[in-house]
Amino acid sequence: MRRPMNHLRRLSSALEKIATGRLALLSTILFFVFLVFVLPAQADATAAAAGAAETPDTAFFYTAEELYRIAESLGDAGRSHYIRSRFTFDVVWPLVYLIFLATTIGWLTQRGFDASSPWRLLNLLPLAGALFDFLENSATSLAMARYPATTPVVAELAGLFTALKWTFVFASFAALIVALVAVGVRRFASQRRQ
């Protein structure tokens, strides 16, 4: 048990080394540019290609049967657009939120917690979110590409990958709030001591 924890601490420390205030600020700006401009444009492009059909990555969880139902409702053009966007836009977007969350959480936890605190590992949560996002993209794209043929195991895992992605992404935003509060508490305590 000690060896995996040591690896996690080393990875967390490596992320902290690049988590400068400047990078945290730049990644925050980039994240909000994506939220305001890029995501709505991508949603419009998906709606144009797929019509009113839903996509699997916006659900929290789905079964293989639900994934095949979505694949059917997308039609050929919608499935092609979906696959193409998983390997263009949806490669960049997870990297954007990963850099934003990992650097911002890392920068804040360095200021909010002591170096030995396990809370400093919070900067690893976005890595897990992005990893499961990439696994989700690969699994759903393979299922879409092979449809109407089924893709056993991969289609079953796709919903699990999506649920894990959302769990770690939500946990990352919760960690960001925890880190902000920790910095505020530490500053308040420091001012009271003076």
Side-chain angles (χ1 to χ4, degrees):
M1 183 66 182
R2 182 173 286 277
R3 186 169 290 165
M5 188 57 90
N6 288 339
H7 291 308
L8 291 176
R9 285 189 194 283
R10 277 200 294 275
L11 180 57
S12 176
S13 294
L15 286 174
E16 284 182 349
K17 286 179 182 160
I18 62 168
T20 64
R22 179 175 285 160
L23 183 57
L25 177 63
L26 290 173
S27 66
T28 300
I29 292 167
L30 180 62
F31 177 77
F32 282 103
V33 165
F34 259 73
L35 277 183
V36 173
F37 299 107
V38 180
L39 286 179
Q42 180 63 29
D44 291 345
T46 299
E54 62 184 308
T55 58
D57 50 328
T58 55
F60 183 78
F61 179 78
Y62 46 86
T63 64
E65 291 73 27
E66 290 168 324
L67 179 60
Y68 296 137
R69 180 187 51 74
I70 292 169
E72 173 67 27
S73 70
L74 285 172
D76 289 338
R79 285 191 300 275
S80 292
H81 173 79
Y82 180 84
I83 294 166
R84 204 171 32 257
S85 67
R86 291 320 94 179
F87 293 100
T88 52
F89 163 78
D90 221 3
V91 169
V92 177
W93 172 235
L95 293 175
V96 168
Y97 74 69
L98 167 62
I99 293 167
F100 161 65
L101 289 166
T103 58
T104 307
I105 292 168
W107 188 78
L108 290 168
T109 55
Q110 289 176 72
R111 281 142 188 81
F113 299 105
D114 294 331
S116 61
S117 173
W119 290 99
R120 298 279 287 261
L121 298 174
L122 289 174
N123 65 346
L124 297 176
L125 291 171
L127 283 174
L131 171 67
F132 286 113
D133 201 338
F134 290 131
L135 289 171
E136 169 204 53
N137 293 341
S138 300
T140 56
S141 294
L142 181 59
M144 295 280 178
R146 289 180 38 83
Y147 186 82
T150 60
T151 311
V153 180
V154 172
E156 282 79 13
L157 287 173
L160 176 62
F161 293 152
T162 300
L164 289 169
K165 170 194 78 172
W166 285 121
T167 299
F168 281 105
V169 167
F170 292 145
S172 297
F173 281 98
L176 184 60
I177 293 167
V178 166
L180 272 169
V181 169
V183 169
V185 166
R186 182 171 263 195
R187 285 195 176 160
F188 178 75
S190 174
Q191 288 173 352
R192 287 202 58 177
R193 281 193 300 270
Q194 294 173 357

